[in-house]
Amino acid sequence: MNKKLFVLLVILMSLSLVGIIFVQGYWIKKSVDDKEEQFSNAVSEVLTKATEKIEDREIKDYSDRYVNLKDSLGKPKDSHFRNFFFVDRDVNSNEVLFYSHGILEEDYNIASTFFDNDISSDSTTLKNFTSKRTKTIFREDYGLDGKGFKLSPVQTLEKIGGLSSIEKAQFDDVFREYAKTVPIHKRVSKQEIELILDRELHNRGIDIDYEYGVYSKGLPTKIRSRKFKFVGSTLYEAPIFGDSEGATDFSLLISFPKKKKFLISSILGMAILSLVFTLVIVVAYSSAIYQLIKQKQISEIKSDFINNMTHEFKTPIATINLAVEAIKNPKIIDDKDKVLRYLQMIRDENKRMHAQVENVLRISKLEKNQLDISKDRIDAHEIIDDAIAHVELIVGDRGGYIKTHLDAERSDVLANDMHFTNVIVNILDNAIKYSPDAPKIDVFTELAKNYIVIKIQDQGSGMSKAVLKKVFEKFYREHTGDIHNVKGHGLGLAYVKRIIEDHQGEVYAESERGKGSTFYIKLPLI
């Protein structure tokens, strides 16, 4: 994949993910704000309803006392009767409508000590008003001669009752002026406020702890809950005990200490689902990015592998071509020794290419679990000696050494002779290739419980921590640009890892740049 295209794709996916997370966060915040607005409206309605009920209850208490007192006074001292009427005639139906309305004012002439105040005044008296409304419909009847005339009643409606609106207006005005002089704790109790607030909040589905208080001109009164605090940003307020003009000194305040928790819990289910879906998107995004990076790495490894394999085959092919051309030379073909030497060169280079192909095929079979690995009881020390014999001449030719320190008292393992030998050879070959000077290699064995540990230590160029993490991956080789000073195709250590794991063992490495590497093989003993 093109590097610029890859970077652009990652940026676009990242921006999309950030956008999704932002939208989810905005939605959650908007939901909380909407819930808070709904909550505020509901609480305002609760307070309005509560104050109305308290005021109505107070007026009703006095009204009931007034009615009881009026009933106990008996007949009024004097009465006045006012009456008015009108007549309307319908020409089409020959009907006459007669409407009469009379008002009876009954004056008891008793000073109102009803309000139990300390003001000595008899200016207020108890009065009662009664209304009598009559509606009669007559039909005009004429004689046969057209001169006789009489009105025949067709329908009569009559209603008698108190003038509630006038009486109520007078009573409310007197009561509200008087009520201003009564202490607040005698007008309403904490129990009444709590009962009404509980009922109204429950009716609106608000199940949350609250604190309340009645304040007079910003100052607290005795009517408040034990933990109520005057904190302006969290309070809801409604006026209470207004006079006839709507003015009042008192306010009913309510606060909810756990409001935020209540609002969040109301959308918690949807918020959790939203977060879960966002998490799924994040995981999917991370997986996609990981796969893209992995594919990019595989693409790079593939390119490196092809370059390395091409380089590995290029040299022997060139050598074979030169040897063939040399043999075809008439001067050379008669020289038996030179012909045999060139033929040996061709055979060696052909054998080298065959080994490269076998390595690729072997790792492919391992990946598909098609490699038949039979295991027998073998001596690990003998395998180590045999593997050293394969590379000893190369090490000696470069002026280096391989020293053995085989201290394990037991060394019998269940393994495949050929593959286990190849494992040791591959690690030794790696130590030789990555030793820029004369290879200096030490091989140790020791026991760890029921395992034998084989330690192969070199003093070569070593590896960085980043390379060490990937050294056992298939096709991985430390990037050296176009310099092919170290031959290979990144399959040797991948092969080592698969074979050791197939033997129920483990392999790992320690290394430091410039100080060499140490490979550990741990196999179970038998």
Side-chain angles (χ1 to χ4, degrees):
M1 182 183 292
N2 184 278
K3 186 175 181 181
K4 290 183 178 179
L5 181 61
F6 174 77
V7 172
L8 180 62
L9 186 61
V10 170
I11 290 173
L12 289 175
M13 291 179 67
S14 300
L15 288 175
S16 300
L17 180 62
V18 171
I20 290 171
I21 293 174
F22 173 79
V23 169
Q24 292 290 344
Y26 175 79
W27 177 84
I28 292 174
K29 182 180 182 302
K30 189 73 168 57
S31 297
V32 172
D33 292 341
D34 290 344
K35 285 290 182 181
E36 186 166 8
E37 185 176 355
Q38 293 173 12
F39 181 82
S40 299
N41 293 336
V43 171
S44 297
E45 291 177 6
V46 166
L47 286 176
T48 301
K49 200 75 174 177
T51 54
E52 288 177 354
K53 286 188 174 182
I54 292 170
E55 291 175 353
D56 290 346
R57 188 270 313 155
E58 186 181 40
I59 294 175
K60 185 177 181 301
D61 287 348
Y62 282 98
S63 179
D64 289 345
R65 288 175 59 191
Y66 162 67
V67 171
N68 292 335
L69 179 61
K70 186 185 73 171
D71 291 342
S72 67
L73 293 175
K75 296 182 179 179
K77 185 175 181 180
D78 54 44
S79 301
H80 304 282
F81 188 81
R82 301 185 184 94
N83 190 35
F84 66 90
F85 65 91
F86 69 87
V87 178
D88 186 24
R89 179 178 181 181
D90 190 339
V91 178
N92 295 325
S93 62
N94 291 328
E95 290 182 350
V96 178
L97 172 66
F98 181 82
Y99 181 81
S100 171
H101 190 175
I103 300 176
L104 178 66
E105 179 182 342
E106 301 170 335
D107 188 352
Y108 293 90
N109 199 25
I110 296 176
S112 177
T113 56
F114 165 67
F115 290 107
D116 299 326
N117 56 11
D118 298 329
I119 303 173
S120 299
S121 173
D122 59 355
S123 59
T124 303
T125 59
L126 296 176
K127 294 182 179 182
N128 185 47
F129 298 89
T130 303
S131 170
K132 181 179 181 181
R133 295 178 292 279
T134 304
K135 176 180 170 183
T136 307
I137 300 175
F138 298 90
R139 186 174 63 244
E140 296 177 331
D141 292 328
Y142 292 91
L144 295 175
D145 57 1
K147 295 181 180 180
F149 174 80
K150 68 175 181 178
L151 293 175
S152 302
V154 177
Q155 183 180 17
T156 302
L157 300 172
E158 184 175 273
K159 185 176 181 181
I160 300 174
L163 290 177
S164 58
S165 59
I166 298 174
E167 184 180 21
K168 186 176 185 303
Q170 290 178 328
F171 182 83
D172 283 359
D173 188 56
V174 173
F175 158 69
R176 291 179 187 276
E177 289 301 319
Y178 155 73
K180 291 181 179 180
T181 64
V182 180
I184 188 65
H185 63 276
K186 291 184 179 181
R187 301 180 70 179
V188 65
S189 66
K190 292 194 289 185
Q191 291 79 5
E192 181 183 11
I193 292 177
E194 291 172 7
L195 182 64
I196 294 175
L197 288 177
D198 286 343
R199 185 183 300 124
E200 293 299 325
L201 289 171
H202 177 73
N203 290 341
R204 287 163 178 78
I206 302 175
D207 184 15
I208 181 175
D209 294 337
Y210 64 89
E211 302 293 336
Y212 68 91
V214 176
Y215 272 58
S216 175
K217 297 181 179 179
L219 299 175
T221 66
K222 294 180 180 179
I223 309 300
R224 60 174 180 168
S225 58
R226 187 166 58 88
K227 296 182 180 179
F228 180 78
K229 294 180 180 178
F230 191 87
V231 182
S233 60
T234 60
L235 289 178
Y236 298 92
E237 179 180 0
I240 189 172
F241 298 129
D243 58 20
S244 57
E245 297 178 355
T248 181
D249 293 335
F250 296 100
S251 297
L252 174 61
L253 297 95
I254 187 171
S255 66
F256 300 90
K258 298 180 181 178
K259 184 180 79 170
K260 277 292 182 186
K261 184 178 179 181
F262 173 77
L263 293 175
I264 292 173
S265 65
S266 65
I267 64 162
L268 189 60
M270 291 300 295
I272 289 175
L273 279 177
S274 175
L275 291 174
V276 167
F277 291 144
T278 303
L279 183 62
V280 169
I281 293 172
V282 170
V283 170
Y285 166 81
S286 303
S287 176
I289 293 296
Y290 173 78
Q291 291 298 328
L292 283 172
I293 294 173
K294 195 72 176 174
Q295 288 297 324
K296 187 173 182 295
Q297 290 175 343
I298 290 172
S299 179
E300 291 175 352
I301 290 170
K302 179 182 175 182
S303 298
D304 289 344
F305 173 72
I306 291 172
N307 290 335
N308 288 327
M309 287 297 291
T310 302
H311 182 77
E312 291 292 325
F313 283 124
K314 194 174 181 180
T315 302
I317 289 171
T319 303
I320 290 171
N321 284 334
L322 288 173
V324 169
E325 291 295 326
I327 291 173
K328 286 170 64 178
N329 190 325
K331 295 180 180 179
I332 300 297
I333 199 168
D334 294 329
D335 191 338
K336 187 177 180 180
D337 292 335
K338 286 186 177 181
V339 169
L340 291 174
R341 184 157 64 89
Y342 286 133
L343 289 174
Q344 184 63 39
M345 287 174 60
I346 292 171
R347 194 171 85 174
D348 289 343
E349 293 302 325
N350 185 61
K351 185 178 179 181
R352 179 177 164 190
M353 287 192 293
H354 180 73
Q356 298 286 2
V357 172
E358 279 297 317
N359 277 335
V360 175
L361 292 175
R362 190 184 300 132
I363 200 71
S364 177
K365 287 182 178 180
L366 273 176
E367 288 291 332
K368 298 176 182 177
N369 294 319
Q370 294 177 347
L371 198 63
D372 184 22
I373 303 178
S374 59
K375 301 180 182 71
D376 300 305
R377 185 189 187 104
I378 60 173
D379 187 342
H381 287 169
E382 291 180 2
I383 296 295
I384 292 170
D385 290 335
D386 188 31
I388 290 173
H390 280 72
V391 298
E392 202 167 22
L393 290 176
I394 300 173
V395 173
D397 188 55
R398 291 184 56 186
Y401 66 80
I402 299 179
K403 294 181 180 179
T404 57
H405 312 272
L406 309 180
D407 299 329
E409 297 175 358
R410 295 167 54 200
S411 58
D412 287 346
V413 295
L414 189 64
N416 181 277
D417 190 347
M418 183 194 74
H419 286 294
F420 193 30
T421 302
N422 287 338
V423 164
I424 304 298
V425 169
N426 273 330
I427 295 177
L428 291 173
D429 187 52
N430 234 45
I432 294 166
K433 286 193 294 186
Y434 287 95
S435 293
D437 300 324
K440 298 175 182 179
I441 304 169
D442 290 275
V443 182
F444 303 84
T445 63
E446 59 185 38
L447 296 180
K449 294 184 179 179
N450 200 38
Y451 290 85
I452 183 171
V453 179
I454 302 170
K455 183 169 69 172
I456 301 173
Q457 185 177 34
D458 66 64
Q459 300 178 31
S461 57
M463 295 175 282
S464 64
K465 290 183 179 180
V467 173
L468 192 61
K469 290 179 181 178
K470 301 179 180 179
V471 73
F472 291 103
E473 292 181 9
K474 187 172 64 171
F475 300 126
Y476 179 79
R477 294 182 73 240
E478 187 173 3
H479 186 66
T480 56
D482 295 329
I483 301 173
H484 295 275
N485 58 331
V486 178
K487 298 180 184 291
H489 38 69
L491 294 175
L493 291 179
Y495 167 77
V496 166
K497 183 176 177 64
R498 290 300 302 270
I499 293 296
I500 294 300
E501 287 178 350
D502 187 74
H503 285 69
Q504 287 75 50
E506 60 178 302
V507 59
Y508 54 94
E510 294 176 354
S511 185
E512 188 176 346
R513 175 68 74 183
K515 295 185 179 180
S517 304
T518 304
F519 283 81
Y520 296 85
I521 298 172
K522 188 176 179 182
L523 287 174
L525 293 166
I526 58 171

